[in-house]
Amino acid sequence: MPSARLPAHIGQAFEYLGGVTGASIDELKLIASFLLSYPLAGVLKRIPDAKPYQKNLFIISVSLFYLVGLFDLWSGIRTLLISSVGAYAIAAYVDGPLMPWIGFIFVMGHMSVSHVYRQFANAPDKVDITGAQMVLAMKLTAFCWNVHDGRLPEKDLADMQKERALRQLPSLLDFAGYVLFFPSLFAGPSFDYIDYQRWIETTMFEVPVGMDPSKVAPTRKRRKIPRSGRPASWKAVAGLIWIFLFLKFSGWYNSDLVLSDQYMQYGFLRRVWILEMLGFSTRLKYYGVWSLTEGACILSGLGYKGIDAKTGRVQWNRLQNVNPWGIESAQNTRAYLENWNMNTNNWLRNYMYLRVTPKGKKPGFRASLATFTTSAFWHGFYPGYYLSFVLAAFLQTIAKNFRRHVRPFFLTPDGQRPTPYKRYYDIISYLVTQLAFCFTTAPFVLLTMPDSLLVWTRVYFYAIIGVVASMAFFASPAKSWLTQRLNKRNHPMIKRSASQETIGAPLMGLPNDPGRDIDEAIREVREEVEARTRRGTNVIMPTGQDLKVAVEEKLGKKI
């Protein structure tokens, strides 16, 4: 039957394309909405800067057309309206420190209803409102925090809070335009209200005082928004290439294959390779979708990030959500995760990880646990998500240990240059990282517990065995032995620096544990003291400020 709400010939066209590509009609309509957003974003940019209300009305109209005209999501409009009006009312009428938490509970709780409904419907090829609501949840929870920050004295705010604080509530029309910004309606990227405000008021594009006129971004006619057709076109082309590759690879490597009896006819290495390609083909879909939506945002002007002071080139990566090369070439867990779903990482860091930490304190285990829980809850309730998150948390811990205790052996004692063997370490790190993550993310694709455990069984739980072996290794005396060898090799050339895995906020909610790092550093100091005592050196365990200095030397940073 032709698609709902569309003329018969257009519906028949989608059905024909579905038969050719193997994609569902809803998936094709979703891609069509991404592509249609390009010419519509071009129209949006040409609405006079002096008439922001017209831009808001245009944005709302296009999004309503997408929701009703393309997908017949009348109930979806109601869902977005409830979340948006509820969050706006909470921000407007609730005062005090609990306001953003009330908004968070309301928005996330409402979204969980959609997650449960989608899980029971079990129709992954059908577009419903859940994806749009996930994007909206990030926007609305951030909005509540920004309004809360705007009510606080500026002296009590961090730099990030000062930059994004809202001193007064936006008008309902501006807020509706922010909520329904059509280039990012269904798949993101998410952004804060202050970005939308600066875009629609065009203050985002003001030229800094003293800038060389030759470096000012070129514009057309009287528009302040710089020309963005070329970078947007590159994103569109890249997105279409990723989608094309996804359609090809997903026909060869998919969930049905790894769950079939045919999969077990292959040898172990071939099965692992297929699992790796299953992850790759799944990522291709996200590369394509996020590239297409980012390109439409760039064309509208919202992707503008200023002018690079060194090169003088305009930067359009404000809303970049994924770096495919960074993921596919990642040699450690942090490089892998920090290049994936980047705006969600920013949201988790700014509006959970840093918010549960008392003022004047450093984020610790509580912040990491809260961020992990939020990330998992935001994704939904499929058991596969939680299998992936828990295992990935262990991977981060192991990667930190290897980077801290093994990697320095492949650098010169001053830590500045690689040894001739560093290339082999990099190759092994790359292979281990990619193979570990293809195993870890398989449940994220398969979703259910039985399917996830079945596929893990078929590759003999190799990543879990590696995790257990690595955890046992670093819990054994071998870790002290490595530490002693490293200290002997490098002393007094360098003080060991903290690994990248321990610096900064958790990525995708996967918890780092600074408290554990400090405990490990203290234990290493104690082991070194005991080792020197056994060799006859008169030395005692440092305490107080001396212990603090020794731990800071181990971590490579102040505590």
Side-chain angles (χ1 to χ4, degrees), residues 348 352-357 362-376 389 393 396 501-502 504-517:
L348 289 169
M352 179 52 64
Y353 184 71
L354 297 177
R355 300 293 179 159
V356 298
T357 304
K362 291 184 179 295
F365 178 74
R366 183 176 68 172
S368 296
L369 181 62
T371 308
F372 171 85
T373 304
T374 300
S375 182
F389 270 95
Q396 281 200 303
E501 280 71 21
T502 65
L507 295 167
M508 291 305 297
L510 299 176
N512 295 324
D513 190 347
R516 184 187 300 172
D517 293 336

Side-chain angles (χ1 to χ4, degrees), residues 34-341:
F34 297 153
L35 295 175
L36 185 58
S37 291
Y38 280 78
L40 292 175
V43 173
L44 174 62
K45 186 165 66 172
R46 284 162 176 77
I47 296 175
D49 294 337
K51 298 181 178 180
Y53 74 93
Q54 292 185 358
K55 292 188 176 184
N56 282 322
L57 291 174
F58 182 77
I59 289 168
I60 295 168
S61 300
V62 172
S63 287
L64 291 178
F65 165 70
Y66 284 171
L67 290 167
V68 177
L70 277 179
F71 296 104
D72 199 23
L73 287 173
W74 288 97
S75 61
I77 294 178
R78 182 182 66 241
T79 297
L80 299 184
L81 185 66
I82 291 172
S83 285
S84 303
V85 172
Y88 190 91
I90 290 169
Y93 297 112
V94 179
D95 201 359
L98 292 180
M99 183 274 284
W101 293 114
I102 294 172
F104 174 85
I105 293 171
F106 169 75
V107 170
M108 297 292 282
H110 186 217
M111 182 184 66
S112 69
V113 175
S114 296
H115 276 311
V116 171
Y117 178 82
R118 180 173 177 80
Q119 188 166 338
F120 277 101
N122 195 28
D125 292 337
K126 186 172 179 60
V127 172
D128 64 6
I129 202 61
T130 309
Q133 197 176 5
M134 291 173 69
V135 177
L136 183 61
M138 291 190 284
K139 286 183 173 182
L140 295 180
T141 52
F143 176 79
C144 289
W145 276 110
N146 298 150
V147 172
H148 171 70
D149 291 341
R151 295 169 179 167
L152 297 177
E154 192 162 311
K155 63 181 178 62
D156 293 339
L157 302 177
D159 290 341
M160 182 279 295
Q161 294 172 283
K162 294 176 184 177
E163 179 188 356
R164 305 199 166 273
L166 298 176
R167 297 298 175 183
Q168 62 182 27
L169 282 174
S171 68
L172 288 174
L173 184 61
D174 285 348
F175 183 72
Y178 167 65
V179 164
L180 294 173
F181 188 69
F182 67 85
S184 65
L185 177 66
F186 287 110
S190 172
F191 49 90
D192 290 352
Y193 180 80
I194 195 67
D195 293 321
Y196 183 79
Q197 182 184 66
R198 290 169 180 167
W199 169 78
I200 204 164
E201 294 176 354
T202 68
T203 56
M204 177 186 290
F205 311 104
E206 292 178 353
V207 179
V209 177
M211 172 167 281
D212 185 346
S214 65
K215 294 184 177 181
V216 175
T219 60
R220 288 188 183 276
K221 299 181 180 179
R222 296 182 179 180
R223 290 199 303 269
K224 291 184 179 180
I225 302 176
R227 287 182 287 182
S228 56
R230 180 173 296 178
S233 298
W234 279 115
K235 284 292 180 180
V237 170
L240 289 174
I241 292 174
W242 290 126
I243 292 294
F244 173 77
L245 291 174
F246 164 70
L247 293 174
K248 298 298 290 185
F249 276 82
S250 62
W252 302 326
Y253 306 100
N254 49 57
S255 301
D256 292 339
L257 175 58
V258 297
L259 295 171
S260 68
D261 294 335
Q262 178 187 352
Y263 185 58
M264 290 305 295
Q265 296 176 7
Y266 302 119
F268 172 71
L269 293 180
R270 178 76 178 274
R271 295 200 297 273
V272 172
W273 168 254
I274 292 174
L275 196 62
E276 167 67 28
M277 295 308 294
L278 172 65
F280 177 68
S281 64
T282 303
R283 292 193 297 274
L284 289 172
K285 175 176 65 176
Y286 290 97
Y287 295 163
V289 167
W290 286 336
S291 293
L292 288 175
T293 55
E294 184 192 353
C297 291
I298 289 173
L299 192 58
S300 73
L302 192 58
Y304 180 77
K305 200 181 179 181
I307 300 174
D308 189 298
K310 295 182 178 179
T311 65
R313 298 181 62 181
V314 179
Q315 297 176 303
W316 290 102
N317 62 338
R318 176 184 295 275
L319 300 181
Q320 182 180 5
N321 208 31
V322 68
N323 176 9
W325 175 249
I327 294 170
E328 302 305 330
S329 63
Q331 297 176 16
N332 56 69
T333 59
R334 187 168 189 86
Y336 195 101
L337 293 171
E338 71 183 358
N339 289 294
W340 176 261
N341 213 351

